[in-house]
Amino acid sequence: MKPINVGIIGTGFSASSHIEALRRLPLVNIVAIASSSQEKAEEAARRFGIPKAYGDYRALIDDPDVQTVHNCTRNVLHFPINKAVLEAGKHLLSEKPLAMDSEQSAELKRLAEQSESLSAVCFNYRHYPLVVEAKERLAREAKRVHFVYGGYVQDWLLYDTDYNWRLDPAQNGPSRAIADIGSHWCDTVQYVLGKKIVEVFADLRTVHPVRYKPKHEGSTFTASGAQDAEPVQIDTEDGGSVLVHFDDGTHGAFTISQVSAGRKNRLYFEIAADEMTLAWDQEHPNRLWIGRRNGPNEEIVRDPALLSLKAAAYAHYPGGHEEGWPDGLKNLFRDFYSAIIRKQRGEALGELPFATIADGHHTMAIVDAILESHRTKRWVRVAE
């Protein structure tokens, strides 16, 4: 088959991560990149060795050579770009969150349902080998889940002198920590359980109601200093805790923080079932802990020879050759482009392993419900 031609919209951290992962796949060819100006696009095209550069994302979408678009822009641009790609009938892989709110994402869901093209949201943690293994073991060995708990904690916004565009609701949306990283926890756990979150009770907190914004903007996840900075009011959450109910009655709870010193990117969960507890931590991604009452606890390592057939397909190197975050992203893209190729061949797709636009919309509805719950101090149902 001919390679699938890809266009990248955006030039920051997400875009560079997508480009690196895509170039590890066969039958995928990055042909164009777009940015907020022609100058920035051409500089990125030179840096990444991409033949075409566009200063307007619409021109990239209109390029007849581009078959698939990766939306790696700021949150405020996710909805208009995703809508334009879907209306153009091209394949779409969007960074999360899918839109600024669930009203926008509902429109994207409707467009995706009417489209013949495939679309996905970049919830990459479900594509780790041992996350897949947890899902397989839970389905095979557990009759009932009692509780689910965990969280996603980071420290890159620990100080009041840390500032980034994600702290601006006009650029990032009304939720920050929940939408940016809490959404990952929700998607990952829903995937492992095969169940949806349907009700939430939230208590959020802004640790630094005033931060100091430097006059020259830095990159995401990089520290800034207070020198030559101005105070700005912060209205979005630095973190919080959320109680959740799943559609089968399972109870859960998770904590989100972007101000936890020493925690760089810790998404973790424990699932307590009738005969075992499963625990996984993204900062130690090659281990899956299995706890038992009437037998020895186990630790499963990321070794294809020890995993279920489905999970082993996500582990590309022998045991002891560690894999991590970039490999999970590559696995997501592999699943997405494999589905496109199967669709081009006229094959039945079956259940898709990646997060679809419908999944992304449901997660947006969860975020909106969490914000409403925090405001009203009550349980809130997640909108259908």
Side-chain angles (χ1 to χ4, degrees):
M1 293 187 65
K2 291 182 178 180
I4 300 168
N5 289 340
V6 178
I8 306 289
I9 303 178
T11 57
F13 168 76
S14 294
S16 62
S17 301
H18 282 229
I19 291 167
E20 191 276 335
L22 286 168
R23 285 179 166 161
R24 298 167 67 192
L25 299 178
L27 295 177
V28 176
N29 184 31
I30 304 172
V31 298
I33 191 167
S35 189
S36 56
S37 70
Q38 187 65 32
E39 181 182 20
K40 285 186 66 176
E42 290 177 356
E43 190 280 327
R46 287 192 297 270
R47 177 159 39 103
F48 293 116
I50 298 172
K52 297 183 184 181
Y54 292 106
D56 187 327
Y57 71 79
R58 298 171 189 82
L60 182 144
I61 295 171
D62 290 340
D63 186 335
D65 289 338
V66 173
Q67 299 167 277
T68 302
V69 176
H70 283 233
N71 185 357
C72 303
T73 59
R74 296 186 178 191
N75 295 5
V76 67
L77 293 173
H78 288 182
F79 172 70
I81 291 175
N82 291 341
K83 181 179 179 181
V85 174
L86 291 170
E87 289 177 338
K90 299 194 175 186
H91 304 299
L92 167 67
L93 203 152
S94 173
E95 268 296 339
K96 40 71 22 211
L98 187 57
M100 294 284 267
D101 56 49
S102 59
E103 183 177 344
Q104 290 181 342
S105 62
E107 183 174 354
L108 297 178
K109 178 185 175 184
R110 177 183 58 79
L111 289 171
E113 290 170 345
Q114 297 170 353
S115 176
E116 291 297 318
S117 299
L118 291 180
S119 49
V121 186
C122 195
F123 286 119
N124 50 303
Y125 293 108
R126 60 162 74 186
H127 298 268
Y128 282 65
L130 288 174
V131 171
V132 178
E133 182 71 13
K135 180 180 178 66
E136 292 290 293
R137 284 179 178 257
L138 196 65
R140 187 172 67 242
E141 301 178 29
K143 297 182 179 65
R144 181 186 178 193
V145 173
H146 298 156
F147 296 104
V148 184
Y149 40 91
Y152 196 155
V153 290
Q154 302 172 325
D155 71 357
W156 71 286
L157 292 174
L158 176 62
Y159 303 123
D160 61 3
T161 52
D162 294 324
Y163 193 86
N164 176 267
W165 64 265
R166 293 181 182 277
L167 291 144
D168 180 1
Q171 296 291 318
N172 194 67
S175 171
R176 174 172 29 101
I178 294 296
D180 286 344
I181 59 177
S183 59
H184 272 299
W185 191 91
C186 292
D187 180 80
T188 304
V189 169
Q190 289 179 120
Y191 167 75
V192 173
L193 294 177
K195 311 177 193 303
K196 287 188 174 183
I197 294 170
V198 296
E199 193 174 28
V200 300
F201 191 102
D203 182 24
L204 309 180
R205 184 185 175 198
T206 302
V207 173
H208 298 301
V210 174
R211 287 180 181 266
Y212 294 89
K213 178 182 178 180
K215 294 182 179 180
H216 302 287
E217 184 176 2
S219 301
T220 302
F221 310 128
T222 58
S224 60
Q227 298 174 346
D228 197 26
E230 59 183 357
V232 293
Q233 187 73 29
I234 302 298
D235 299 318
T236 54
E237 75 281 358
D238 288 311
S241 298
V242 184
L243 299 175
V244 298
H245 291 162
F246 292 84
D247 54 13
D248 69 338
T250 298
H251 287 203
F254 66 94
T255 296
I256 300 301
S257 172
Q258 294 178 319
V259 291
S260 295
R263 295 301 186 186
K264 302 306 178 183
N265 198 47
R266 189 187 184 214
L267 185 158
Y268 64 102
F269 62 77
E270 288 199 8
I271 299 172
D274 46 4
E275 295 294 336
M276 63 182 180
T277 297
L278 296 171
W280 182 79
D281 182 341
Q282 197 281 145
E283 289 192 340
H284 304 279
N286 294 285
R287 303 287 188 271
L288 175 67
W289 183 84
I290 302 177
R292 303 187 188 279
R293 173 172 168 171
N294 295 321
N297 295 338
E298 303 175 65
E299 188 174 71
I300 307 300
V301 298
R302 189 216 51 79
D303 183 341
L306 303 176
L307 303 180
S308 65
L309 289 177
K310 188 170 183 180
Y314 288 81
H316 304 290
Y317 297 95
H321 298 73
E322 305 293 52
E323 298 175 62
W325 193 91
D327 304 285
L329 192 65
K330 182 192 76 170
N331 284 335
L332 162 58
F333 296 166
R334 182 199 63 171
D335 286 346
F336 182 62
Y337 283 95
S338 293
I340 292 175
I341 291 170
R342 294 201 308 275
K343 185 177 179 65
Q344 290 176 343
R345 291 172 175 166
E347 300 175 12
L349 297 182
E351 183 179 355
L352 296 171
F354 50 80
T356 64
I357 295 294
D359 295 324
H361 166 63
H362 181 71
T363 301
M364 287 303 311
I366 293 173
V367 172
D368 283 359
I370 288 172
L371 292 179
E372 182 182 348
S373 174
H374 175 68
R375 286 193 300 268
T376 61
K377 303 302 179 186
R378 63 180 178 85
W379 283 96
V380 173
R381 295 286 297 181
V382 177
E384 297 292 333

